[in-house]
């Protein structure tokens, strides 16, 4: 992993800025079913609208444009357009066979744009994080209230799916693998197991970011873990960072981030939503308001990596980047 040394150097020097929401930005293009299909999939027998990962193949210029806007807003780390890039999630569109290509091409697009910006300013290297979403199935919970022992997916099925995704993301040029929006830690463990297999097989060390999601005010993941329990259950691997994203706005996330920062000797990441959704599912927090909420993280020395999730745009990321450039990153200390 050729950029790993530069990544660790940057993390020790400053708070790194992750990009904002890909989906929020893509919605602005108002792509039609035909746009999603492009020429290549014009005769596909199933509906493809909403398959944002597919746009890396059919509308790559839009994906490039979104990445570029976030880099212009001073993001250091760009996520690939692969949140649903597993055979499990792609089964909804009957596109399991395309998974390797989707991830590989998405990583290549992000790599190309990041390299352009790094070449313009070598003192501010930009990094590609291969996005690995949670899938639409859970290994810990039954989807059937009448059969609590039933599972829609097995650990091994998840491992195989995640491994294919991770290999393609690495082959396409990702610097980091980001296992994100984790609502079920068993799913995440399958992803981490798969990544660890790749580390052994390729004899490489992969920087791994792990980001859970606290689903409501109970302070727990969907599968019932507290932030501390979540941390303990993934800490057997040598991770780059652990953190939280999605579900909550910046203010609501603070106590759970404090727990992670106090208990962990990994770098800490956070990318909250632009507040909580309104009655129409929209996110209302302005860039300035959101940045002001994040000031608390910086004042308390909680973060090493900061960005935005649902509802965030390049102006949100710019406001956050402008804020954190005046702060030192959280210092790592050995946990007793």
């Amino acid at each position: 992993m050729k950029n790993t040394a530069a990544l660790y150097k940057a993390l020790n020097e400053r708070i790194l800025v992750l990009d904002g929401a890909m989906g929020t930005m893509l919605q602005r293009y108002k792509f039609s079913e035909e746009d999603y299909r492009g020429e290549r999939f014009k005769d596909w027998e199933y509906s493809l609208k909403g398959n944002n990962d597919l746009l890396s193949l059919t509308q790559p210029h839009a994906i490039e444009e979104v990445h570029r806007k976030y880099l212009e807003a001073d993001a250091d780390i760009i996520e690939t357009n692969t949140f649903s890039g597993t055979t499990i999630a792609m089964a909804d569109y009957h596109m399991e066979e395309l998974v390797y290509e989707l991830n590989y091409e998405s990583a290549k697009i992000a790599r190309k744009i990041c390299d352009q910006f790094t070449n313009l300013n070598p003192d501010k290297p930009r990094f590609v994080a291969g996005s690995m979403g949670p899938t639409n199935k859970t290994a810990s919970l039954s989807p059937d209230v009448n059969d609590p022992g039933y599972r829609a997916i097995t650990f091994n099925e998840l491992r195989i799916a995640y491994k294919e995704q991770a290999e393609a993301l690495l082959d396409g040029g990702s610097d980091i693998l980001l296992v994100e929006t984790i609502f079920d830690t068993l799913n995440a463990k399958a992803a981490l197991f798969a990544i660890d297999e790749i580390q052994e097989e390729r004899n490489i060390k992969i920087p791994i970011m792990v980001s859970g999601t606290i689903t409501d005010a109970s302070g727990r993941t969907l599968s019932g873990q507290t932030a501390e329990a979540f941390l303990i259950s993934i800490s057997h691997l040598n991770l780059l960072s652990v953190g939280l994203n999605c579900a909550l706005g910046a203010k609501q996330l603070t106590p759970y981030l404090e727990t992670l920062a106090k208990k962990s000797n990994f770098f800490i990441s956070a990318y909250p939503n632009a507040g909580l959704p309104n009655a129409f599912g929209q996110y209302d927090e302005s860039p300035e308001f959101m940045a002001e909420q994040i000031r608390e993280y910086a004042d308390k020395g909680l973060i090493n990596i900061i960005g935005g999730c649902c509802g965030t745009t390049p102006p949100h990321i710019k406001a956050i980047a402008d804020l954190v450039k005046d702060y030192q990153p959280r210092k790592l200390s050995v946990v007793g």
Side-chain angles (χ1 to χ4, degrees), residues 301-316:
L302 301 180
I303 49 170
N304 303 96
I305 301 168
I306 184 72
C309 205
C310 303
T312 57
T313 62
H316 288 87

Side-chain angles (χ1 to χ4, degrees), residues 4 38-39 45 50 52 54 56 78 80-81 91 97 144 180 195 221 249 311 317:
T4 300
E39 186 59 30
E45 59 182 301
N52 284 349
L54 183 63
S56 294
I78 290 295
T80 57
N81 178 40
E97 296 299 315
D144 183 354
E180 65 171 326
I195 294 168
T221 64
I317 298 307

Side-chain angles (χ1 to χ4, degrees), residues 159-217:
R159 177 191 67 81
I160 291 165
Y162 276 127
K163 191 171 182 181
E164 181 181 12
Q165 181 180 33
E167 288 184 318
L169 289 169
L170 293 169
D171 293 346
S174 298
D175 302 303
I176 301 161
L177 290 180
L178 169 54
V179 182
E180 65 171 326
T181 322
I182 298 160
F183 58 79
D184 181 350
T185 310
L186 195 55
N187 285 37
K189 280 176 166 288
L192 295 172
F193 191 92
I195 294 168
D196 206 31
E197 280 188 324
I198 297 168
Q199 291 190 120
E200 285 188 31
E201 289 164 8
R202 299 191 179 194
N203 195 25
I204 55 172
K205 184 179 182 306
I206 302 165
I208 307 165
M209 294 176 66
V210 171
S211 185
T213 188
I214 300 291
T215 47
D216 56 38

